[in-house]
Amino acid sequence: QENVVEVIIPCSGSKYESDNKHYRGTAVGVSEDMNMAKKIALRSANTNLATDMSVQITQVAEDYSGQTVRWTNSNYRAKFQDNSQSVVDQSVNSSRTICERMTLDKSTGKYTVYISREASSKEVFTRLNESLSNDEEIRVNYDYEKFKETFEKVMEQRKNE
């Protein structure tokens, strides 16, 4: 098959996927304007990173809630979700770029930017713990050890995926 060629995509592959130690978000941006291509890729990578974190934190919250009585209280659940969203936002803002590549298609004049960003799951847990510990309503029934154990269990499952 002489018309078939392998396509190598920058900033992709297993080393750019989330695992039990890091949340990662990867994306591509295309534009005739170089800076716009980068902005598109960066925004999309951050969105992917935030989505990954949110999904995992929701899983942790659900698993943890199965062990606590207060989770049935909708106000408690809403406060937990607010705290989680704040942590996700902070973590995305402090995430780092681990790969960035740019290409220019001379035939179209379009730039393509590939970006991969990451945040440490340990830092996310620390932020989440601080946020939950500082909320008076949540703190009443918050069990640090149980929450940490649940978080680590969910993160460990990622290693086996």
Side-chain angles (χ1 to χ4, degrees), residues 113-131:
V113 177
Y114 303 84
I115 290 182
S116 185
R117 311 242 324 141
E118 79 174 7
S120 159
S121 62
K122 196 174 197 174
E123 288 175 22
V124 172
F125 172 78
T126 299
R127 282 191 175 109
L128 191 54
N129 176 56
E130 286 172 4
S131 178

Side-chain angles (χ1 to χ4, degrees), residues 41-60:
L42 187 59
R43 189 177 311 124
S44 296
N46 284 342
T47 298
N48 292 339
L49 181 61
T51 300
D52 187 30
M53 280 185 219
S54 294
V55 166
Q56 287 303 122
I57 290 172
T58 299
Q59 178 67 51
V60 170

Side-chain angles (χ1 to χ4, degrees), residues 8 62 75 79 91 100 110 112 119 132 138 140 149 158:
I8 299 170
E62 288 174 2
N75 190 40
K79 282 189 152 290
S91 299
E100 182 177 334
K110 291 187 177 182
T112 302
L132 297 173
I138 290 176
V140 172
E149 178 184 314
R158 294 177 76 120

Side-chain angles (χ1 to χ4, degrees), residues 23 29 33 40 49 54 56 58 70 72 80 84 87 119 123 126 137 141 146 153 155:
Y23 296 99
D33 179 275
I40 293 167
L49 181 61
S54 294
Q56 287 303 122
T58 299
R70 291 290 303 265
T72 54
F80 193 98
S84 298
V87 167
E123 288 175 22
T126 299
E137 190 169 341
N141 287 312
K146 195 176 283 188
K153 186 177 171 186
M155 291 309 294

